[in-house]
Amino acid sequence: MSTKTKEDKLSEKLFNGIAIFHYRKKDGTIREAAGTTNPNIIPNGDMTSTSMSHVKGNVQSYYDLSRSKWRNFIRTNVLSIRASVNWEQGK
């Protein structure tokens, strides 16, 4: 039986909809983010070929809904997942 890490759970939640989560930035400050990697939520003009690979090594990319742009964080710096909303297009 395999258990998912907090980082894997967040990646899944980002892909399935919108996640609100906290992570420690490189400068040590804590950031609360609301983001997604779901292409049905991200505006078409903000989808790029580089944004499609969401995890590279220990770095996770996500579309920041409050800033309307792509951001990255170090996956092991995830502190908590506060909430998530699954997204089904057309519902």
Side-chain angles (χ1 to χ4, degrees), residues 10-80:
L10 178 56
S11 291
E12 187 175 288
K13 289 177 183 301
L14 288 167
F15 182 76
N16 288 331
I18 297 168
I20 299 171
F21 57 101
H22 296 90
Y23 65 91
R24 187 174 312 279
K25 294 172 41 175
K26 286 181 182 180
D27 67 5
T29 60
I30 295 174
R31 171 153 167 51
E32 179 178 77
T36 188
T37 58
N38 186 314
N40 294 319
I41 301 172
I42 300 165
N44 286 335
D46 288 326
M47 289 299 298
T48 66
S49 60
T50 56
S51 66
M52 294 304 288
S53 59
H54 306 297
V55 177
K56 192 174 255 185
N58 193 33
V59 176
Q60 169 83 50
S61 297
Y62 70 98
Y63 188 79
D64 186 318
L65 295 166
S66 64
R67 305 253 170 109
S68 298
K69 64 182 183 177
W70 286 92
R71 294 193 162 288
N72 302 305
F73 62 89
I74 298 170
R75 288 171 45 90
T76 52
N77 286 355
V78 173
L79 301 173
S80 65

